[in-house]
């Protein structure tokens, strides 16, 4: 009986050993398959290409710190977040494909925008835009479709209070506006170098013009609200004032 018991115990141990060996074999096959796939991917031409709609980078605490994917308009967007997961910097494309860079303060409100536009659309121009804490544009350095650079300062209500520009022909302008954005003073240097100063009333009509009509030919013209000349020195200045180029918009 003891001999039979020993034989049965030996058979059980052998069966268990065979099961372990079969399990190790299966595990070995899986490991070899994984290693083979990894080596194939690493050696293949597509190893450097990963296709996905969104990549999210998280820190050690699981908080999102960077996103690379598509915007709501379906355009490519790279966004960087701070430790509070607030979007602070974004580089992407508008729906027309034009690139932009936006920088935000700690509450996530955009304060700086840099963009390159293919053409003017909805008042958007190529340039640098600075916004206040309420995300209202307060300063702009832009370039329009005519390659005219302009620097504009706005008040909290969005009215232009100071505007500087220069056109492609070489003329330069400095315009000061009132509380409603109406031009009240304009300093101008024409493309031929002749300077002039204009004062405007609240209806944007020029009421005083001081100009240099030539190297040594200063002039002064005063006009009423209807544009009629009240005073001109020399008298020919009235004719010059009548054909003075309009203040640029």
């Amino acid at each position: 009986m003891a001999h039979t018991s020993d034989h049965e115990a030996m058979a059980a141990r052998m069966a268990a050993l065979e099961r372990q060996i079969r399990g190790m074999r299966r595990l070995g096959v899986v490991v070899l398959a994984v290693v083979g796939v990894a080596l194939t991917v690493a050696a293949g031409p597509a190893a450097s290409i990963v296709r996905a709609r969104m990549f999210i980078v998280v820190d050690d605490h699981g908080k999102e710190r960077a996103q690379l994917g598509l915007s709501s308009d379906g355009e490519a967007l790279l966004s960087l977040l701070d430790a509070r997961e607030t979007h602070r910097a974004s580089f992407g494309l508008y729906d027309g494909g034009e690139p932009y860079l936006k920088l935000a303060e700690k509450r996530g409100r955009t304060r700086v925008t840099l963009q390159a536009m293919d053409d003017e659309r909805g008042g958007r121009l190529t340039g640098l835009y600075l916004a206040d804490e309420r995300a209202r544009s307060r300063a702009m350095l832009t370039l329009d479709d005519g390659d005219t650079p302009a620097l504009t300062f706005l008040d909290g209500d969005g009215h232009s209070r100071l505007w500087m520009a220069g056109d492609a022909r070489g003329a330069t302008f400095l315009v000061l506006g009132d509380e409603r954005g109406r031009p009240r003073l304009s300093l101008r240097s024409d493309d031929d170098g002749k300077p002039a100063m204009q004062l405007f009333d609240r209806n944007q009509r020029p009421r005083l013009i001081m100009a240099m009509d030539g190297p040594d030919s200063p002039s002064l013209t005063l006009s009423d609200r209807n544009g009629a000349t009240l005073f001109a020195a020399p008298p020919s200045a009235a004719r010059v004032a009548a054909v003075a180029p309009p203040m640029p918009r």
Side-chain angles (χ1 to χ4, degrees):
M1 296 292 295
H3 179 73
T4 301
S5 177
D6 292 341
H7 178 74
E8 291 176 351
M10 179 66 69
R13 286 196 294 271
M14 290 296 294
L17 180 60
E18 289 177 356
R19 288 195 298 271
Q20 292 179 2
I21 293 174
R22 285 196 298 269
M24 293 179 65
R25 286 176 177 173
R26 286 195 293 269
L27 178 60
V29 170
V30 172
V31 171
L32 289 176
V34 172
V35 172
V37 170
L39 292 176
T40 301
V41 171
S48 60
I49 299 177
V50 178
R51 296 182 180 274
R53 294 186 62 84
M54 175 69 73
F55 290 94
I56 297 178
V57 178
V58 299
D59 60 17
D60 294 339
H61 303 287
K63 294 183 177 181
E64 295 186 14
R65 300 303 300 274
Q67 298 176 351
L68 175 61
L70 300 179
S71 68
S72 58
D73 297 322
E75 299 293 349
L77 176 66
L78 170 63
S79 184
L80 304 181
L81 298 81
D82 61 17
R84 298 182 178 180
E85 296 186 298
T86 300
H87 291 262
R88 300 297 297 273
S90 298
F91 175 66
L93 303 176
Y94 289 122
D95 52 4
E98 301 94 340
Y100 66 82
L101 172 65
K102 295 184 178 181
L103 306 179
E105 41 92 273
K106 62 182 180 181
R107 285 167 289 190
R109 291 179 290 203
T110 300
R111 301 296 297 272
V112 179
T113 300
L114 178 64
Q115 60 190 31
M117 307 301 295
D118 296 333
D119 49 49
E120 181 178 354
R121 291 189 303 124
R124 295 188 302 185
L125 299 171
T126 294
L128 174 67
Y129 296 78
L130 305 181
D132 60 19
E133 61 180 9
R134 297 176 63 182
R136 299 171 301 188
S137 294
R138 300 298 301 275
M140 303 181 296
L141 178 60
T142 59
L143 188 68
D144 64 16
D145 293 343
D147 292 332
T148 298
L151 174 64
T152 307
F153 293 163
L154 301 93
D155 60 21
D157 296 323
H159 297 135
S160 298
R161 304 305 293 265
L162 185 149
W163 185 77
M164 300 173 60
D167 62 24
R169 296 173 299 177
T172 55
F173 308 88
L174 170 64
V175 180
L176 303 183
D178 62 13
E179 74 283 357
R180 294 176 56 184
R182 297 171 297 195
R184 302 304 301 273
L185 184 149
S186 171
L187 298 177
R188 183 182 74 243
S189 176
D190 295 335
D191 52 358
D192 58 3
K194 296 178 181 177
M197 181 180 74
Q198 294 174 282
L199 299 182
F200 300 83
D201 61 19
R202 290 185 176 272
N203 294 317
Q204 304 182 46
R205 298 189 182 98
R207 303 295 296 274
L208 181 150
I209 299 179
M210 298 176 61
M212 293 289 291
D213 303 326
D216 299 306
S217 302
S219 65
L220 172 65
T221 304
L222 303 179
S223 305
D224 63 14
R225 66 180 60 186
N226 297 317
T229 300
L230 298 174
F231 174 82
S236 61
R239 177 182 58 80
V240 174
V243 297
M247 189 199 69
R249 301 294 180 183

